[in-house]
Amino acid sequence: MPAGTRVRWAVVSATSVALVATGCGSSGGSGGGSSDASKTFTYQSSEPQNPLQPANANETGGGRIVQNLFKGLADYDPSNGKLRMQVADSIDTSDAQTYNVTLKSGWTFHDGTPVTSQSFVDAWNWAANVGNNQINSSWFGDIEGYKDVHPENGSPTTDKMSGLTVQDDTHFTIKLYNKVSYFPYKLGYVAFSPLPQGFFKDPAGYGQKPVGNGPYEFVSWDHNSQVVTKTFANYQGVDKPKNGGVVFKMYTTAEAAYADLQSNNLDVIDQVPPSALANYKNDLGDRAIDAPQGAIQNVGFTLYQSDWQGQDKAKVRQGLSMAIDRDTITKTVLQGSRKAATAWVAEGVEGYKSGTCGDFCTYNPDKAKQLIQEGGGVPGNAVKITYNADGGHKEWVDAVCNSIRQATGVNCSGDPKTDFKTARAAITGHQIDGMFRTGWVQDYPLNANFLADVYRTGAASNDTGYSSPEFDKLSTEADQAASIQDTATGYQKAEEQLALDMPAIPLWYYRTNSGYSTNVQNVTFDSFGNPAWTQVEVKG
């Protein structure tokens, strides 16, 4: 997703420079003493935007709760981001277009009813139907028949997607419109969760008192105060809870949550407040979390303008990239809350390959000036970087421009727009000139998500207008690869083309800056910036 456009688990997007980042990757884990698996722990949360339905939660507050109440065919291993089977025993394909799903036996919902093939197919058909107004409905757009239940205009012609066929309680098939070799990775998203039959009789009621099949079952929802869960005794997943449940406590400010964390009234914080960023490691000691996250900050070019077209101008863009002192900016302006980027895919993501950008992401003023000169110079020897003024980006944009000016003599300046909406309208409407702030937050931890959705010709989030026949060819080959591993390798080859063309300059990777109380131990975070919930231990 474009950094700033959507809010999935992490509110990374429009966040300020000094304005933290949630995190990902793993870290932390002090302790090692005895624990009590019957005890619950508290987590910093916010009031969910919508009812607690799997296909209707893509913001932090609701998403994290739903993630714990439901479990789909697969999810992502918190330790390495790799796809792992959960309800599914296998998801097989011979052509990357038709997938055969086999379920494990023994899974039940919290109400005791069995989880079957029909539980998934009915849930997906309901979620995809435009009439049900689910915010995550587009996730089902790959499945054949989606356009019939979710037409761009008018009413659905059916309530069932033709691409879904149930064979029996533990087998069903998924047929896609096109080949998508990494479709199983998408299936790890919570929108693909199953639903019990009772849900369809009262979706609104179930949204207030959800019945899932995840590691935790719903206990109560005291709006604007807390959501209480407890461990589901019959949970069949590979990540058996090591605690008695999670209590999601609602906070309106990160400062209040951090104060509670320091006094042990909160066990795990989502992110430390900007005011604590410089000192939280000293405050928390080995209970501080500093881990990579599946998100990246870039600056893109307006390649749809003639001034920036032609292969020579790639040298100019490469030179501008080499004029940015990422190491100094991340350590000073960003207070160490980011890590200098060396590629277009974020750390911790399957297929991430450090150094793809090569020397072009290394600060070198002499080489920067040489490349800019060889490329015919920056048009008018001046460039602006457009950004949204409501996201706290001014400081780093100014720092990047200072670095470019001092290294090359090119007159660089920031171009603030009032707010995120205004900036995005200018960017997508091609109403800007030169460079603009952009970025990407993972939808799923695979390099294809950072590349195909951003740089392929005509991609929905291709804001630069970049179009490379070679990149497109390599991406298509990667999509049709025999395995996810081959897809990841294929996209690494496609990513190499970006270093040659430099449609956008990678700046830095986001990081998780979090921590936990003295009450808990074994706290680690995944690449979405979420704790490995079931692995948290409450001290005995």
Side-chain angles (χ1 to χ4, degrees):
M1 75 187 75
T5 302
R6 284 176 281 168
V7 192
R8 197 178 169 191
W9 306 132
V11 194
V12 176
S13 25
T15 49
S16 76
V17 180
L19 253 167
V20 206
T22 349
C24 86
S26 59
S27 174
S30 81
S34 62
S35 61
D36 186 341
S38 69
K39 289 185 176 179
T40 62
F41 71 95
T42 54
Y43 185 80
Q44 177 198 359
S45 188
S46 57
E47 178 69 7
Q49 178 185 9
N50 299 313
L52 297 173
Q53 301 161 333
N56 211 22
N58 74 345
E59 41 72 44
T60 307
R64 284 186 169 130
I65 298 170
V66 169
Q67 182 186 35
N68 282 285
L69 299 176
F70 292 85
K71 190 61 68 178
L73 298 172
D75 67 2
Y76 315 107
D77 188 329
S79 67
N80 55 26
K82 293 184 180 299
L83 192 72
R84 65 181 181 186
M85 296 297 107
Q86 286 283 8
V87 183
D89 186 55
S90 63
I91 305 171
D92 299 322
T93 183
S94 59
D95 61 4
Q97 189 165 2
T98 299
Y99 287 86
N100 300 303
V101 178
T102 301
L103 304 183
K104 296 170 184 170
S105 299
W107 280 76
T108 68
F109 290 101
H110 301 153
D111 61 4
T113 57
V115 178
T116 67
S117 300
Q118 204 68 50
S119 307
F120 284 95
V121 170
D122 288 348
W124 299 2
N125 279 326
W126 187 88
N129 194 305
V130 66
N132 294 322
N133 196 32
Q134 295 292 283
I135 199 168
N136 289 323
S137 59
S138 64
W139 278 84
F140 302 93
D142 291 318
I143 300 174
E144 194 173 85
Y146 173 77
K147 296 172 185 175
D148 297 323
V149 301
H150 200 113
E152 291 187 10
N153 299 296
S155 301
T157 56
T158 177
D159 59 358
K160 295 179 177 58
M161 290 184 280
S162 59
L164 300 176
T165 304
V166 173
Q167 275 81 49
D168 56 39
D169 281 351
T170 56
H171 296 84
F172 69 100
T173 60
I174 310 165
K175 186 175 182 181
L176 309 181
Y177 283 114
N178 302 295
K179 292 183 177 181
V180 183
S181 62
Y182 51 92
F183 184 70
Y185 253 84
K186 294 188 176 186
L187 292 174
Y189 189 46
V190 71
F192 289 98
S193 297
L195 289 169
Q197 286 304 304
F199 171 89
F200 304 103
K201 299 175 184 174
D202 183 16
Y206 268 66
Q208 296 300 313
K209 297 181 179 179
V211 175
N213 66 323
Y216 300 105
E217 58 182 304
F218 176 85
V219 175
S220 64
W221 184 355
D222 185 3
H223 287 274
N224 298 306
S225 177
Q226 64 180 18
V227 169
V228 178
T229 71
K230 66 177 182 180
T231 298
F232 176 42
N234 193 38
Y235 178 61
Q236 299 296 309
V238 299
D239 51 339
K240 306 289 186 187
K242 295 180 178 178
N243 52 68
V246 186
V247 177
F248 296 88
K249 295 180 65 174
M250 314 309 178
Y251 287 89
T252 56
T253 69
E255 286 77 10
Y258 190 64
D260 270 2
L261 181 77
Q262 289 181 294
S263 58
N264 287 327
N265 291 318
L266 174 70
D267 292 322
V268 184
I269 193 170
D270 177 40
Q271 58 185 27
V272 300
S275 58
L277 204 51
N279 298 315
Y280 84 100
K281 291 181 181 177
N282 289 331
D283 292 343
L284 302 177
D286 64 358
R287 293 181 288 109
I289 298 285
D290 180 6
Q293 187 183 45
I296 187 172
Q297 182 79 74
N298 304 321
V299 285
F301 291 91
T302 53
L303 301 183
Y304 46 82
Q305 293 181 315
S306 58
D307 283 347
W308 290 101
Q309 295 174 351
Q311 193 56 44
D312 284 348
K313 281 296 178 287
K315 289 187 176 182
V316 176
R317 297 190 292 271
Q318 291 163 344
L320 289 171
S321 178
M322 297 186 77
I324 299 170
D325 188 351
R326 295 169 179 76
D327 287 336
T328 297
I329 295 172
T330 53
K331 290 175 183 174
T332 57
V333 179
L334 298 171
Q335 301 181 60
S337 63
R338 307 288 191 274
K339 180 180 179 181
T342 64
W344 286 263
V345 175
E347 285 185 304
V349 171
E350 177 75 15
Y352 163 74
K353 185 177 181 180
S354 176
T356 306
C357 186
D359 290 341
F360 300 134
C361 282
T362 300
Y363 182 58
N364 187 330
D366 292 337
K367 186 66 174 177
K369 283 184 287 191
Q370 177 187 332
L371 285 171
I372 291 173
Q373 185 177 13
E374 290 177 358
V378 172
N381 197 43
V383 67
K384 292 182 178 179
I385 300 178
T386 298
Y387 66 97
N388 52 303
D390 64 341
H393 301 289
K394 181 180 187 304
E395 293 87 349
W396 70 256
V397 170
D398 287 348
V400 166
C401 276
N402 285 337
S403 187
I404 289 174
R405 278 198 305 271
Q406 292 173 10
T408 67
V410 171
N411 185 19
C412 179
S413 60
D415 175 31
K417 301 299 182 186
T418 306
D419 52 30
F420 183 71
K421 180 180 179 181
T422 304
R424 286 299 300 168
I427 292 169
T428 58
H430 293 182
Q431 302 299 311
I432 59 175
D433 184 13
M435 302 169 69
F436 57 93
R437 182 190 84 81
T438 183
W440 193 256
V441 182
Q442 68 182 19
D443 293 312
Y444 44 91
L446 183 67
N447 60 353
N449 184 231
F450 285 79
L451 300 172
D453 292 320
V454 184
Y455 299 109
R456 185 176 249 158
T457 299
S461 297
N462 185 346
D463 293 331
T464 64
Y466 176 61
S467 179
S468 163
E470 182 66 13
F471 179 88
D472 292 346
K473 179 177 77 71
L474 292 170
S475 297
T476 299
E477 291 174 358
D479 284 346
Q480 298 179 357
S483 67
I484 290 175
Q485 288 70 31
D486 290 342
T487 292
T489 301
Y491 268 104
Q492 288 176 347
K493 295 178 181 176
E495 188 180 10
E496 293 173 1
Q497 186 65 34
L498 299 182
L500 301 176
D501 298 334
M502 196 64 71
I505 295 175
L507 291 179
W508 38 74
Y509 307 123
Y510 282 80
R511 298 188 66 79
T512 293
N513 303 114
S514 181
Y516 52 95
S517 76
T518 60
N519 300 324
V520 294
Q521 58 189 10
N522 198 38
V523 181
T524 61
F525 276 68
D526 66 17
S527 62
F528 294 97
N530 297 323
W533 310 93
T534 59
Q535 303 309 296
V536 174
E537 297 174 353
V538 184
K539 294 181 180 178

